[in-house]
Amino acid sequence: MSIEGVLSDVKNEYEIGDDLVGLLQTAFVISYMIFAPLFGYLGDRHSRRIIMAFGVFLWSITTLVGSFMHTYGWFLTFRALVGIGEASYSTIAPTIISDLFVKDQRSKMLALFYFAIPVGSTVYGKTARITGSWRWGLRVTPVMGAIAVLLIIFVMLDPPRGESEGCDLTPTSWSSDLRALTRNKSFMLSTVGFTCVSFVAGALAWWGPLFIKMGLMLQDGAQEVSQDDVTYKFGIIAMVSGLIGVPLGSFMAQRLRARYPRIDPMICATGLLLSSPFLFIASLMASVNTNACYALIFFGEIFLNLNWSIVADILLYVVIPTRRSTAEAFQILFSHAFGDAGSPYIVGVISEALKHVLSHSHTNSHVNISSLNSSYNISSEPVIDPAVEFYSLQYSLFMTCFVEVLGGFFFLFTALYIIGDKKDAERTIAGRKFDADEKNVQRKKVKYSHYFVK
């Protein structure tokens, strides 16, 4: 369960700086990405129902226990353990969807699956707001996890791999799977592009509410701002933009795919390239006009959210069924290792460094901080000025705009190879299906041959 919406409460309770606040998310994602390959390997070869049930149970129990930790070290440890549970169902669930549905129906189901991400974050923020404690958000949500475990065990279907495509494939060795995936240009390039999405989404979700609150504190008459109010509004924006962006991306892909076979990576690229200027201007407006800032973030996140279900769909149709869990795991490992595993911490570290640079610069030159904001003055005291706090985080967050542009170019390169890689996967599936049909015919001939022997 994500805790981005209550960062100021966590920061105050444990008395930590921006770097250690960012480390909470980094620890969660590191464990998430390390265990993803293990679950990917198991998911291609063993019962996906058992693996998912175990993962959701572990997620629930570690989330609950972590809410009772009153020292930073132990809370950090349990945040890391939560990542292990989340790695299981995030790796395996899309592959089950791919074995139940095909083509546009699969795209719709993937959109429904990924659109739950912003909804879940908002549910936690709302729970924390109602109960008046960020810890109770962590204590209530495991109840949903318990319900999910029961549904997975007694209701969920675990179809044969490749069933929706009418084939019966035998898994190959893990080394063969990895070699095939690294040679798949569409998969590799889209994974790098999605890593940029993950980097930006992680940094924005983690630092967004706190950054907006800092901006509000610099505005005249808005110093008495409630973090809960900012978090609630930011959560609503994240939820609504997800509700619009994820299905919108899927809908556009379904409508245009028949006429433009390269449209999937093109939509992803366009989404990132359009999102970047919106988020850049939003960061500039945070200390000037909060409503404009919220509006710009809303549109920026809509364009960013166009990617989620499309990237998953690309993976499923350029990779054969018996390698899909491994492919999901590889994508999770890479995108989080170089994406949101580091982005909250990197932003926090750069922000902390910039605080010292800005404070030292203005203290030594005796320049009034009005060059940043006329309401504050830097003193020689160790207390960091609110303006320095804000601008150091703002400058650090600028890097996300550059990363978005970089991701857009990777998706444009993906468009060059997407048609060929999709046809290669379809030929492999068709060939395996033909071999399976031939074996069935031969078995039937042997079984009924005695009727024709006198």
Side-chain angles (χ1 to χ4, degrees):
M1 175 55 63
S2 177
I3 60 171
E4 292 95 336
V6 293
L7 285 187
S8 61
D9 294 330
V10 175
K11 184 177 181 180
N12 292 334
E13 177 154 345
Y14 293 114
E15 298 179 348
I16 54 179
D18 290 348
D19 48 354
L20 293 183
V21 172
L23 186 59
L24 287 171
Q25 179 70 353
T26 298
F28 165 81
V29 178
I30 286 176
S31 64
Y32 176 56
M33 69 184 190
I34 288 176
F35 281 87
L38 171 63
F39 289 119
Y41 174 84
L42 296 174
D44 280 333
R45 293 161 178 81
H46 301 287
S47 171
R48 292 178 288 190
R49 177 187 288 111
I50 294 175
I51 297 170
M52 285 185 64
F54 165 76
V56 176
F57 173 78
L58 181 63
W59 172 87
S60 301
I61 196 68
T62 52
T63 298
L64 178 63
V65 175
S67 70
F68 292 97
M69 297 298 105
H70 292 281
T71 60
Y72 174 79
W74 279 112
F75 184 67
L76 178 68
T77 300
F78 278 93
R79 290 305 299 167
L81 292 175
V82 170
I84 300 175
E86 189 154 336
S88 66
Y89 60 84
S90 296
T91 302
I92 295 173
T95 68
I96 293 178
I97 293 173
S98 73
D99 291 329
L100 291 172
F101 307 97
V102 293
K103 298 184 178 180
D104 286 351
Q105 192 67 18
R106 174 192 290 169
S107 299
K108 293 175 183 176
M109 294 302 106
L110 287 171
L112 181 63
F113 176 77
Y114 284 101
F115 127 124
I117 295 174
V119 175
S121 297
T122 304
V123 169
Y124 168 73
K126 184 65 174 178
T127 302
R129 182 183 175 89
I130 292 174
T131 59
S133 171
W134 65 271
R135 293 182 180 276
W136 274 104
L138 297 177
R139 294 168 186 171
V140 171
T141 49
V143 176
M144 302 177 188
I147 296 173
V149 170
L150 295 176
L151 291 175
I152 291 171
I153 294 174
F154 297 107
V155 179
M156 190 190 81
L157 297 176
D158 188 2
R161 292 158 185 83
E163 180 180 73
S164 62
E165 286 133 317
C167 63
D168 183 14
L169 303 179
T170 302
T172 54
S173 68
W174 200 50
S175 59
S176 298
D177 293 344
L178 292 178
R179 283 195 299 271
L181 291 174
T182 54
R183 293 170 184 167
N184 190 322
K185 293 183 178 65
S186 295
F187 169 73
M188 293 299 295
L189 288 169
S190 63
T191 295
V192 177
F194 185 67
T195 300
C196 296
V197 175
S198 180
F199 185 98
V200 175
L204 185 63
W206 192 255
W207 291 111
L210 185 60
F211 175 69
I212 293 174
K213 179 187 176 183
M214 290 179 177
L216 274 166
M217 292 176 65
L218 297 183
Q219 297 179 32
D220 293 335
Q223 283 76 11
E224 298 299 325
V225 62
S226 166
Q227 179 66 64
D228 287 341
D229 184 60
V230 174
T231 299
Y232 177 72
K233 291 179 180 178
F234 190 88
I236 292 296
I237 290 173
M239 181 185 71
V240 176
S241 64
L243 294 178
I244 296 173
V246 174
L248 178 61
S250 179
F251 174 77
M252 290 192 297
Q254 293 170 50
R255 292 297 299 269
L256 299 173
R257 196 175 289 153
R259 296 176 58 188
Y260 307 102
R262 303 181 194 274
I263 196 62
D264 285 1
M266 294 299 293
I267 292 174
C268 293
T270 302
L272 284 175
L273 294 176
L274 289 176
S275 175
S276 180
F278 275 101
L279 295 182
F280 177 77
I281 299 173
S283 66
L284 297 177
M285 297 298 294
S287 61
V288 179
N289 188 314
T290 306
N291 291 330
C293 177
Y294 280 136
L296 290 163
I297 290 175
F298 174 71
F299 288 107
E301 288 204 356
I302 285 179
F303 289 120
L304 185 66
N305 284 323
L306 295 178
N307 289 266
W308 290 94
S309 64
I310 297 178
V311 171
D313 216 1
I314 290 174
L315 182 151
L316 295 173
Y317 65 64
V318 300
V319 177
I320 63 174
T322 53
R323 292 179 182 146
R324 285 172 181 165
S325 288
T326 297
E328 290 282 354
F330 182 93
Q331 190 170 85
I332 287 172
L333 173 62
F334 192 91
S335 64
H336 289 298
F338 299 99
D340 58 346
S343 63
Y345 184 61
I346 291 172
V347 169
V349 168
I350 294 176
S351 175
E352 286 293 315
L354 287 173
K355 287 177 189 177
H356 296 295
V357 172
L358 293 175
S359 299
H360 181 74
S361 172
H362 285 86
T363 301
N364 285 349
S365 60
H366 302 286
V367 176
N368 191 287
I369 197 65
S370 60
S371 59
L372 295 178
N373 187 289
S374 60
S375 300
Y376 299 94
N377 296 297
I378 286 291
S379 68
S380 59
E381 297 177 4
V383 177
I384 301 296
D385 191 282
V388 173
E389 289 262 9
F390 171 78
Y391 285 103
S392 62
L393 186 56
Q394 181 190 64
Y395 298 157
S396 183
L397 285 171
F398 281 159
M399 78 169 69
T400 59
C401 302
F402 169 76
V403 172
E404 282 193 296
V405 174
L406 189 64
F409 281 107
F410 277 111
F411 279 117
L412 290 176
F413 285 122
T414 303
L416 299 176
Y417 303 100
I418 194 74
I419 296 176
D421 290 334
K422 182 179 180 181
K423 288 182 177 179
D424 286 344
E426 290 173 346
R427 279 194 292 266
T428 301
I429 293 171
R432 300 280 185 89
K433 180 180 178 181
F434 177 79
D435 292 341
D437 290 342
E438 283 293 301
K439 290 179 181 179
N440 287 333
V441 170
Q442 293 300 324
R443 282 197 295 267
K444 289 180 180 178
K445 285 182 178 180
V446 172
K447 181 177 180 179
Y448 297 107
S449 62
H450 66 278
Y451 290 116
F452 304 98
V453 176
K454 294 183 181 180

